[in-house]
Amino acid sequence: MNLLTLNIVLGVSWMLINGSFSIFNFIVGFVVGFVCLSLTQATSGPLNYGRQGWAAVKLLIYFLKEVVITSIKVVWDVLTPTHLSEPDIIYYPLDAKSDLEIMLLANMVSMTPGSLTLDVSEDRAYLIIHAMFARDKAAVIEELKNGLEKRLLEVTRG
């Protein structure tokens, strides 16, 4: 049984022990289980579960921040008479190698306003992206590389 499944079982068990079936009580049980599993894993081997959990939280916060910022940029560009957008197609070199990593990155890019994943190259070395604000392609690539992809790989690779 993987640790996430075990943590969910611990969260449900917490609700059963307390006799209160609420989302708040599940979250409390999940957090307690997370801490216990992280501490237990620290004594028996490498502490990946806690590290990956924290990396997932950081990825979620970063992604939500990017969605808000890019939403504001797109709305501003649509509502104002001067258009700041300079759309272009970008060939983004991938560090992500597995199908899961590529799929998650492609979908997160597409869910961010102002960008859309068009395709993955045949050799799976590039993600082909349409970016609404691509005045400087190198800056867009650098922002994705050090932002979204870096945080995603911390989650998937530990």
Side-chain angles (χ1 to χ4, degrees), residues 41-82:
Q41 195 177 20
T43 60
S44 64
L47 183 61
N48 286 337
Y49 185 63
R51 191 176 313 129
Q52 283 180 312
W54 179 243
V57 169
K58 290 191 317 187
L59 172 64
L60 179 64
I61 291 169
Y62 178 81
F63 179 69
L64 292 175
K65 178 190 75 131
E66 286 298 311
V67 167
V68 169
I69 290 170
T70 55
S71 294
I72 292 169
K73 283 176 69 173
V74 169
V75 167
W76 180 261
D77 195 55
V78 169
L79 294 178
T80 58
T82 58

Side-chain angles (χ1 to χ4, degrees), residues 17 36 57 59 63 70 89 95-96 98 100 105 111 125 134-135 142 157:
I17 290 170
C36 290
V57 169
L59 172 64
F63 179 69
T70 55
I89 305 295
D95 288 335
S98 74
L100 177 68
L105 181 62
M111 288 190 293
R135 177 174 289 140
E142 189 68 25
R157 295 182 183 173

Side-chain angles (χ1 to χ4, degrees), residues 12-128:
V12 171
S13 299
W14 181 271
M15 289 191 317
L16 290 171
I17 290 170
N18 287 315
S20 173
F21 299 97
S22 66
I23 189 71
F24 176 75
N25 210 12
F26 174 76
I27 291 171
V28 170
F30 190 86
V31 169
V32 168
F34 179 81
V35 170
C36 290
L37 288 172
S38 295
L39 292 174
T40 304
Q41 195 177 20
T43 60
S44 64
L47 183 61
N48 286 337
Y49 185 63
R51 191 176 313 129
Q52 283 180 312
W54 179 243
V57 169
K58 290 191 317 187
L59 172 64
L60 179 64
I61 291 169
Y62 178 81
F63 179 69
L64 292 175
K65 178 190 75 131
E66 286 298 311
V67 167
V68 169
I69 290 170
T70 55
S71 294
I72 292 169
K73 283 176 69 173
V74 169
V75 167
W76 180 261
D77 195 55
V78 169
L79 294 178
T80 58
T82 58
H83 294 290
L84 303 174
S85 66
E86 291 186 21
D88 206 350
I89 305 295
I90 297 173
Y91 282 76
Y92 176 75
L94 288 169
D95 288 335
K97 299 299 178 204
S98 74
D99 289 341
L100 177 68
E101 292 170 345
I102 294 171
M103 183 267 307
L104 288 173
L105 181 62
N107 285 326
M108 292 178 91
V109 166
S110 290
M111 288 190 293
T112 307
S115 61
L116 177 68
T117 301
L118 302 174
D119 201 2
V120 179
S121 65
E122 288 291 325
D123 61 355
R124 297 167 39 114
Y126 294 94
L127 200 61
I128 304 167

